[in-house]
Amino acid sequence: MGAGRWTLDIEMSRASSFCLIIACWAAIYLPALGSLEIKGEEGRRILPAVTMLDTGNYLVPQVGSEPYFRKPPLVNWLVAASFKITGARNEWTARLPSVLCVLAVALAFLTVARRSLGPNGSLIAALIWLANFGTIEKGRLIEIEALYVSLFGLALIFWLSWWQQRRSSWLTWIVPWIFLGLGLLAKGPLHLLFFYFVVAAVLYREGELRKLFSIPHFAGLLIMTGIFAAWAIPYWLAMRGTNVAQNWSAQLTGRLTADDFKVGSWLLNIPRGLAYFLPWTLLLPLVAKTKWATNSERNLALALGWAAAMPFLLVNLLPGALPRYSMPALVPACWVVAMMLAAEEVRWRGKVVQSRIRLRWVLSAAIAASVLLCVYAVAVVPSLQQRSKVKPIAAQIDRRIPDSERLYALDPDFQPFLFYVKSHLVYVSRLDEVPTSARYLLVQPEREREVVESERWSPLHARPIERINDYRKRTIILARVGDD
């Protein structure tokens, strides 16, 4: 499927397209990237990375003093690498891996998919990827979705582009599976559902489903499994005797059963999932009004449409699902809409929408997103900084601890403010791990009595000096060892 079939009236050079993508990415994803404190689940991605750097244990992620079983460690490794390479530990360097992953997918659309989508089609796909609500929301945070969906996107772009271009079977069926293997290390196997829907739909439309049983494909599967096993096997051996399997099983069954199922939230899954693709969701009806130059183009558009819609619906209809679980569908949606906007003829209300107008839509949306994010950084972020909920807790603790003292966090569980504590922090699981020289401890309420009544520091005793309630309505106690 050559580039010449999808040609708009204006065609940008490679250099111009590259500069435009870099400029839009920088304007959307970099302003005020590190200006707001960590929120949501970001602490679970950052704190294990800090512990990895401090302990040298990169095999087992830890939150506080306990192993973190719920997710594989790729995002923690990337955050640790960002901290190490830049020499700084802050919000900006923590979120840097996410924005770089988003950029990687945009550049893959622009370069790898160029022969398949055409010069302007590949540019449009890259801009749609950069300027949709879901990618912007997750791509500016150090959350798993930015990494996970980006790895899925790279796998899909490489496979679909090389399949259409009839590149080497070994290249086509192995390189994408490297990204899929890394995706397993990022979150787990859900992205395989979305990926194989696309592969099966495309192959079915071309009458080549037998390729799924080819030796190169099996080699790709072996490499993908090997990437995950290279971490998982040593991890399981190191964690024997713990409840790793139980935790992973609970994660999976929780998506299917949803112990805390709420009908209202479940009914909003699909609308919220569609909202992730805004503003481009509004253009999806035009796909049906597109005149394709060849049956091959039509078949590909149908295949990608069904391959994006079916897993999107299946995942969002699960009782325990959240809309973000269906975000891999953004990538084939970007491809389909780019095909439509770069097609020869698109009709709206019986009239042909000129190619110049379609290109203007895309450029206008990308520029609008760039401007809005820059305005947000200048006009909104300063006021949000005044409403910090996490940093003040760390500052409150630091004021009570001399610079020369260590702070021992006794089984602290997940406490995001620990990222901001300037005192030298040491995690311990049991009280007998706290040295007798320790003078400051962070304790959860259920262990306060154990610490206060301990004779470990006799004749000195530990006494609470601060009771802090965080934004989650959880209490943490700062205790000091000294004279009564």
Side-chain angles (χ1 to χ4, degrees):
M1 191 172 295
R5 298 173 185 166
W6 298 344
T7 305
L8 298 181
D9 294 339
I10 302 172
E11 184 173 301
M12 298 182 69
S13 67
R14 288 178 182 267
S16 299
S17 298
F18 182 84
C19 291
L20 177 60
I21 291 301
I22 294 295
C24 286
W25 168 78
I28 293 172
Y29 291 91
L30 298 186
L33 179 65
S35 297
L36 297 178
E37 64 182 13
I38 61 175
K39 64 179 183 178
E41 293 292 291
E42 285 190 296
R44 297 189 192 276
R45 318 306 167 213
I46 297 171
L47 291 176
V50 173
T51 303
M52 287 175 176
L53 291 172
D54 291 342
T55 64
N57 180 3
Y58 293 87
L59 184 63
V60 181
Q62 288 183 287
V63 173
S65 58
E66 297 297 324
Y68 183 60
F69 298 124
R70 297 180 63 182
K71 295 292 185 293
L74 183 59
V75 66
N76 310 129
W77 290 344
L78 291 178
V79 174
S82 180
F83 288 166
K84 186 73 172 179
I85 293 170
T86 61
R89 298 184 186 183
N90 53 43
E91 298 93 340
W92 199 93
T93 55
R95 292 164 180 157
L96 183 60
S98 289
V99 298
L100 291 179
C101 285
V102 169
L103 176 62
V105 176
L107 294 179
F109 269 125
L110 193 63
T111 56
V112 179
R114 185 179 176 88
R115 284 182 57 190
S116 298
L117 283 169
N120 284 302
S122 61
L123 173 63
I124 290 170
L127 290 172
I128 292 173
W129 165 254
L130 290 176
N132 69 76
F133 179 77
T135 307
I136 293 173
E137 181 192 20
K138 300 301 182 182
R140 289 175 52 88
L141 300 172
I142 183 58
E143 280 286 12
I144 289 180
E145 276 69 35
L147 170 62
Y148 183 67
V149 177
S150 293
L151 289 170
F152 165 82
L154 291 172
L156 183 62
I157 292 167
F158 275 85
W159 182 83
L160 189 54
S161 299
W162 289 348
W163 173 261
Q164 288 184 275
Q165 296 163 23
R166 301 301 176 184
R167 300 286 292 274
S168 162
S169 294
W170 291 100
L171 194 67
T172 303
W173 291 94
I174 287 181
V175 172
W177 273 256
I178 295 174
F179 295 114
L180 294 177
L182 293 173
L184 291 175
L185 285 176
K187 188 172 184 177
L190 182 60
H191 64 308
L192 298 179
L193 173 69
F194 290 86
F195 186 81
Y196 274 98
F197 256 97
V198 172
V199 171
V202 171
L203 294 181
Y204 174 76
R205 284 284 175 178
E206 296 188 13
E208 298 199 51
L209 273 175
R210 65 185 183 279
K211 293 293 185 180
L212 286 173
F213 303 97
S214 66
I215 293 177
H217 179 214
F218 289 130
L221 288 172
L222 185 63
I223 290 172
M224 177 189 73
T225 306
I227 289 172
F228 180 74
W231 165 77
I233 293 175
Y235 174 80
W236 275 72
L237 292 175
M239 300 304 295
R240 278 184 298 185
T242 61
N243 55 350
V244 176
Q246 182 180 347
N247 272 272
W248 286 6
S249 176
Q251 283 277 292
L252 178 60
T253 57
R255 305 294 178 254
L256 301 174
T257 59
D259 295 333
D260 59 345
F261 178 73
K262 297 177 181 177
V263 175
S265 297
W266 178 74
L267 290 174
L268 290 175
N269 275 357
I270 291 177
R272 287 173 177 170
L274 290 172
Y276 276 135
F277 195 50
L278 287 173
W280 314 105
T281 311
L282 303 175
L283 298 182
L284 290 175
L286 292 182
V287 175
K289 306 291 185 180
T290 302
K291 181 179 180 180
W292 304 107
T294 66
N295 286 333
S296 178
E297 293 171 12
R298 177 179 176 276
N299 288 337
L300 178 61
L302 286 172
L304 291 177
W306 280 106
M310 292 306 295
F312 173 86
L313 293 173
L314 287 173
V315 169
N316 280 307
L317 290 175
L318 292 175
L322 295 173
R324 56 187 169 86
Y325 298 165
S326 63
M327 283 186 68
L330 291 175
V331 183
C334 288
W335 192 296
V336 169
V337 174
M339 286 179 61
M340 178 268 292
L341 291 173
E344 292 181 357
E345 184 177 306
V346 178
R347 291 186 174 273
W348 174 249
R349 294 182 178 180
K351 297 180 180 180
V352 175
V353 181
Q354 297 298 320
S355 56
R356 287 181 179 273
I357 296 175
R358 285 178 261 148
L359 183 58
R360 195 177 302 146
W361 286 349
V362 179
L363 292 175
S364 298
I367 292 171
S370 301
V371 171
L372 287 174
L373 265 297
C374 290
V375 171
Y376 163 80
V378 174
V380 180
V381 168
S383 65
L384 295 177
Q385 289 176 317
Q386 303 303 316
R387 305 175 190 174
S388 296
K389 299 177 180 179
V390 179
K391 286 183 177 181
I393 298 175
Q396 187 176 349
I397 291 172
D398 284 327
R399 282 195 296 268
R400 302 299 299 266
I401 303 175
D403 294 340
S404 59
E405 292 287 349
R406 294 189 175 192
L407 174 61
Y408 291 84
L410 177 59
D411 189 23
D413 197 19
F414 173 51
Q415 302 288 355
F417 69 82
L418 293 176
F419 178 61
Y420 296 105
V421 171
K422 295 178 181 178
S423 303
H424 185 80
L425 189 63
V426 180
Y427 294 108
V428 291
S429 300
R430 304 185 310 273
L431 186 57
D432 58 16
E433 294 177 353
V434 181
T436 56
S437 60
R439 290 297 177 263
Y440 293 89
L441 295 89
L442 279 177
V443 184
Q444 295 191 71
E446 57 267 25
R447 304 200 66 172
E448 179 184 4
R449 183 175 180 180
E450 174 189 359
V451 172
V452 170
E453 295 181 354
S454 174
E455 297 294 327
R456 185 166 184 77
W457 301 277
S458 183
L460 304 178
H461 292 86
R463 292 290 181 264
I465 59 174
E466 289 277 1
R467 292 181 182 274
I468 302 166
N469 295 313
D470 66 14
Y471 66 96
R472 301 172 299 168
K473 302 186 184 303
R474 300 182 61 176
T475 301
I476 191 76
I477 299 165
L478 176 62
R480 181 183 182 276
V481 177
D483 297 326
D484 291 342

